[in-house]
Amino acid sequence: MVSQRCKMLVEYELQKLGLHSLVVDLGVIEILEDISMDNREILRANLLKSGLELLEDKKSILIEQIKGVIIEMIHYSEDQPKVNYSDYISEKLNYDYTYLSNIFSEVKGITIQQFIIVNRIERVKELLLYDELNLTEISYKLNYSSVAHLSNQFKKITGLSPSFYKLLKQKRNNNLENF
């Protein structure tokens, strides 16, 4: 749960149950009152209707927090952190990175680094579709060491070069205009 919309939805569901939130952030909810089992089940069902899940397993919560930090960092932050991703994640969550990495790999079946790469490429695709920045600017914005590094990673994940991906978007738009 990272987006403002998700946070607002959770707060709304808590209010409907007469609960007061202290913190609603990165997959964590802290409420003032104790929550009854009935209210917990109502909250779980209402969140599920909106595609959100109430997690109680500590590993699952930690995984969601890791994912939240990464998604927030890549998709919602104007500037990428100037420190290593591992240091950034470890600092944000107050856990040793090796511990976080081991749990993440064990539960998700991929490394944190692979998850970061996939999310960075998704962000690159988004920025390419907006057509406001060129590849050099995107490379700089997302802290790639070079345009070549970005292009290689993009091709490895998508099977397409960034320029071909952009060309496909233009062709699709032209086809839609011709209807």
Side-chain angles (χ1 to χ4, degrees):
M1 176 182 58
V2 175
S3 77
Q4 193 60 35
R5 213 174 310 156
C6 290
K7 291 177 188 179
M8 288 171 55
L9 177 76
V10 169
E11 287 173 348
Y12 172 73
E13 291 299 334
L14 290 170
Q15 286 173 0
K16 281 185 2 187
L17 294 171
L19 301 170
H20 301 88
S21 61
L22 298 172
V23 175
V24 176
D25 196 28
L26 290 178
V28 176
I29 302 171
E30 287 183 35
I31 54 175
L32 192 58
E33 305 84 3
D34 287 330
I35 186 169
S36 69
M37 289 306 281
D38 288 342
N39 277 348
R40 183 183 303 268
E41 287 310 310
I42 292 168
L43 179 61
R44 179 187 314 282
N46 289 344
L47 291 176
L48 198 54
K49 287 177 190 172
S50 300
L52 299 176
E53 193 175 351
L54 185 61
L55 301 175
E56 297 182 55
D57 168 32
K58 289 185 187 251
K59 277 186 182 179
S60 296
I61 292 169
L62 192 53
I63 297 304
E64 289 305 309
Q65 288 176 324
I66 294 167
K67 287 169 50 180
V69 167
I70 293 168
I71 290 167
E72 184 176 283
M73 170 181 68
I74 293 171
H75 293 276
Y76 299 108
S77 178
E78 272 307 303
D79 298 316
Q80 298 293 298
K82 301 300 180 213
V83 296
N84 290 336
Y85 288 132
S86 56
D87 293 339
Y88 181 81
I89 295 165
S90 181
E91 186 180 307
K92 282 289 247 188
L93 297 176
N94 295 318
Y95 281 99
D96 176 68
Y97 182 77
T98 303
Y99 173 72
L100 295 173
S101 179
N102 288 338
I103 286 180
F104 193 89
S105 296
E106 175 190 322
V107 173
K108 298 303 285 179
I110 64 169
T111 66
I112 289 176
Q113 188 60 34
Q114 289 168 320
F115 186 78
I116 289 170
I117 290 168
V118 166
N119 274 276
R120 286 177 86 194
I121 295 305
E122 284 304 310
R123 182 70 174 132
V124 170
K125 287 164 58 177
E126 216 175 275
L127 292 169
L128 284 171
L129 293 178
Y130 289 153
D131 209 20
E132 294 173 0
L133 303 174
N134 63 37
L135 207 51
T136 303
E137 293 166 325
I138 293 171
S139 171
Y140 179 77
K141 180 178 180 70
L142 296 179
N143 271 354
Y144 276 93
S145 57
S146 67
V147 174
H149 181 225
L150 182 156
S151 295
N152 287 337
Q153 238 180 31
F154 192 94
K155 184 153 185 147
K156 191 181 213 179
I157 298 296
T158 66
L160 306 169
S161 69
S163 54
F164 189 73
Y165 180 82
K166 200 171 179 175
L167 183 65
L168 284 176
K169 175 222 170 213
Q170 291 168 343
K171 283 185 178 182
R172 192 176 80 213
N173 286 345
N174 287 343
N175 286 342
L176 290 174
E177 288 173 7
N178 292 332
F179 272 103

